Amino acid sequence: MCVASSVSGTNELTIQSICRALPLMIEIQNYQRCRPSFMRRVHLKNEAALATRPDNFEGLENEVIKGEVSMAQLANLKIIASQLNASNEPEDLDILIHTLVTGGQVAVESREKECCRQFLLAISNLLPIGCIKLATYKDQYLPEYSSRFNLIGGPHNMDIPLDVSDVIVVRVMPRDLSIVDSDKMSLENCVIEVRRRPENDGSGGGLPQIVKRYRDLLLDADVRDTLLESVLRTTREGWMHKAKICYQMKHHLPASEIFKHITGVGYDDRQVVMYWTAGLSDAYKQHVIASLQHTRHMSIPQTSTTSSR
């Protein structure tokens, strides 16, 4: 009788701990069926590579992004969206965003390095900083780049192996070469077109909610400058919160049950959450582990007391 009470008390304690730590629950049944993405490949190679500190970027000259967002970047972001939406393949905008937020690779090719840099800096505003692996320009595409970078620039007609299936290749061609040296260069003076699409571009099923959200924001003429920056930041923070909950839950539940119940996350959103979970910082992950260890340590004396009775 005492043993049964002890077991029951332990189970209740575990359930209460999960409920306190996880105010939301997310469904991820069969998430393993999702096609392995950029971050999943990196995870298989080295889990440590998933935790990216804000200053851990690699570019042509080890470019460092401090998280500062310029109005020029946001203006370029809207120009990218406008051009792709007005092209003969308007779904290319959705494909670009979908590839970006689910862990695929975006490769930008141009004869001008600055065009690659401006394009990549602009679209990086759609990702949390921990998910950005950036090389603004590489003279050639090496095999290891498929798992090393998710944002990469390179020369015109960059040779990317066909076995890299989750990459979207965008070409940026300036109309006026006299403006490409400016840090505030506008992509409005460039022609932007998609040259290659990923095998799984999301067109065969529903789109993640964040793809639709980003698309609507970028195409809305009334949302710009500081308002756009604020709304993008709020959107990123909302999905990062779901990623944090997901990371907490994997320490309590089997992988097949992690995303059991969630408010506002459907089947099509799961790959986004998993990818953004991979981009959580070392500091956050260590904090979660320390909290779990503390909770388990605190539960031991209570269980022993119950058993002795």
Side-chain angles (χ1 to χ4, degrees):
M1 193 70 176
C2 293
V3 174
S5 298
S6 173
V7 173
S8 176
T10 302
N11 290 338
E12 290 178 2
L13 179 62
T14 301
I15 294 173
Q16 291 173 0
S17 298
I18 295 176
C19 290
R20 285 196 300 269
L22 309 172
L24 298 175
M25 297 195 70
I26 310 171
E27 179 175 356
I28 192 176
Q29 295 174 342
N30 301 323
Y31 81 93
Q32 292 115 323
R33 295 180 183 176
C34 294
R35 179 181 50 81
S37 64
F38 166 80
M39 260 326 196
R40 182 67 64 90
R41 295 199 307 272
V42 175
H43 176 76
L44 294 175
K45 291 180 63 177
N46 183 4
E47 186 181 22
L50 300 180
T52 306
R53 287 187 288 272
D55 60 349
N56 187 16
F57 295 87
E58 181 174 349
L60 181 63
E61 298 177 354
N62 195 28
E63 179 173 6
V64 174
I65 299 176
K66 295 299 184 182
E68 298 177 357
V69 180
S70 70
M71 293 302 104
Q73 287 180 24
L74 298 178
N76 282 334
L77 185 56
K78 298 209 69 159
I79 290 167
I80 293 168
S82 177
Q83 284 208 31
L84 292 182
N85 187 63
S87 69
N88 294 329
E89 303 289 342
E91 67 274 12
D92 279 344
L93 175 57
D94 284 347
I95 293 174
L96 172 65
I97 300 174
H98 182 272
T99 302
L100 188 67
V101 300
T102 57
Q105 186 177 65
V106 178
V108 182
E109 59 178 34
S110 178
R111 290 189 174 93
E112 301 297 330
K113 297 178 181 179
E114 187 62 22
C115 291
C116 294
R117 178 176 180 272
Q118 293 296 340
F119 189 102
L120 293 169
L121 290 179
I123 65 172
S124 69
N125 287 286
L126 303 182
L127 286 175
I129 200 166
C131 286
I132 300 173
K133 303 285 186 178
L134 171 66
T136 55
Y137 196 89
K138 293 290 186 182
D139 290 326
Q140 61 178 326
Y141 190 99
L142 301 179
E144 61 265 26
Y145 291 171
S146 67
S147 59
R148 188 173 177 183
F149 304 111
N150 62 332
L151 301 177
I152 184 170
H156 193 73
N157 290 323
M158 183 163 42
D159 186 15
I160 301 177
L162 293 178
D163 60 358
V164 180
S165 61
D166 58 343
V167 61
I168 180 172
V169 180
V170 181
R171 180 175 294 172
V172 181
M173 298 171 290
R175 296 187 178 97
D176 184 357
L177 296 179
S178 65
I179 60 164
V180 298
D181 294 328
S182 171
D183 286 340
K184 296 183 179 180
M185 184 194 80
S186 173
L187 293 179
E188 187 174 10
N189 297 305
C190 297
V191 176
I192 301 170
E193 60 181 8
V194 174
R195 303 294 295 176
R196 173 175 162 184
R197 297 164 183 83
E199 290 183 6
N200 182 11
D201 56 19
S203 59
L207 289 172
Q209 296 175 63
I210 194 172
V211 174
K212 303 172 187 176
R213 173 67 167 167
Y214 278 157
R215 179 224 300 145
D216 292 343
L217 289 173
L218 297 181
L219 295 178
D220 190 333
D222 295 326
V223 181
R224 56 187 179 183
D225 300 334
T226 55
L227 176 58
L228 179 60
E229 190 277 332
S230 177
V231 179
L232 290 179
R233 183 179 67 251
T234 301
T235 302
R236 291 194 308 267
E237 290 174 351
W239 284 90
M240 278 304 289
H241 178 68
K242 302 178 193 301
K244 290 178 179 180
I245 298 301
C246 176
Y247 182 76
Q248 295 176 34
M249 290 183 65
K250 80 173 191 176
H251 296 281
H252 294 283
L253 300 172
S256 60
E257 299 180 10
I258 293 177
F259 290 96
K260 203 77 177 184
H261 308 284
I262 181 77
T263 301
V265 173
Y267 180 84
D268 297 317
D269 304 311
R270 298 168 186 171
Q271 196 174 356
V272 176
V273 176
M274 289 300 296
Y275 172 47
W276 290 34
T277 299
L280 292 172
S281 67
D282 277 331
Y284 179 78
K285 293 177 180 179
Q286 291 169 1
H287 172 73
V288 170
I289 298 300
S291 298
L292 290 172
Q293 291 175 341
H294 177 72
T295 300
R296 289 166 182 166
H297 176 73
M298 294 297 292
S299 67
I300 293 176
Q302 299 177 27
T303 301
S304 300
T305 302
T306 305
S307 299
S308 63
R309 292 177 182 174

